[in-house]
Amino acid sequence: MGWFGKKKDPQDANEMLRQYNAQEAERLAAAGIAPSAGIASAASTVSTGIGTSEFVVEDVFTITGRGQVATGRTTTGTMRVGDRVVVLRGATQTGASTITGIEMFRKKASEAPVGIAAGLLLKPSADLARGDVIRVTPTA
């Protein structure tokens, strides 16, 4: 007879989610964001003025030859290609940039309306992290 090792059961999805949430809570606490509130807290701590558009960052990528891409959702207003934006971490501005492209599910778009998951291509690169808020700067 051959030797057969004991088959391991795959990790339970609830356990994987618990571990992920614990790691994110530690990371957010280190960044100074309340871990129980998460991304929704980061978006709500920034006051929204009339006519402002905001986008909450879920992940950040750098694509060679294209630039920096922030993925997430638009929480208020509509983000458009060509908009000048500022990056807010809590109530502190960490950088400024311009939206040079918007992609939604591998399709190019000219705008990202409220509630839609999208990727914003930003140039020049800004200091971005999960939970940051990208806000359109008011035009003069």
Side-chain angles (χ1 to χ4, degrees), residues 46-130:
V46 180
S47 62
T48 59
I50 297 173
T52 60
S53 299
E54 292 184 348
F55 182 89
V56 178
V57 177
E58 292 179 8
D59 209 348
V60 181
F61 302 96
T62 301
I63 299 175
T64 306
R66 297 261 344 238
Q68 188 176 38
V69 178
T71 61
R73 291 187 184 275
T74 306
T75 56
T76 60
T78 300
M79 308 299 280
R80 292 183 175 84
V81 174
D83 283 347
R84 297 274 311 139
V85 295
V86 293
V87 179
L88 303 169
R89 186 167 296 147
T92 308
Q93 181 177 331
T94 62
S97 190
T98 302
I99 299 174
T100 58
I102 298 175
E103 291 192 13
M104 295 185 284
F105 301 105
R106 298 185 185 189
K107 294 182 181 175
K108 293 185 182 200
S110 60
E111 59 183 35
V114 173
I116 302 296
L120 302 181
L121 181 61
L122 303 173
K123 282 190 181 179
S125 295
D127 179 24
L128 282 172
R130 181 182 175 103

Side-chain angles (χ1 to χ4, degrees), residues 10-20:
Q11 191 174 20
D12 180 40
N14 289 331
E15 178 62 20
M16 286 175 59
L17 183 59
R18 188 197 61 75
Q19 288 176 354
Y20 173 79

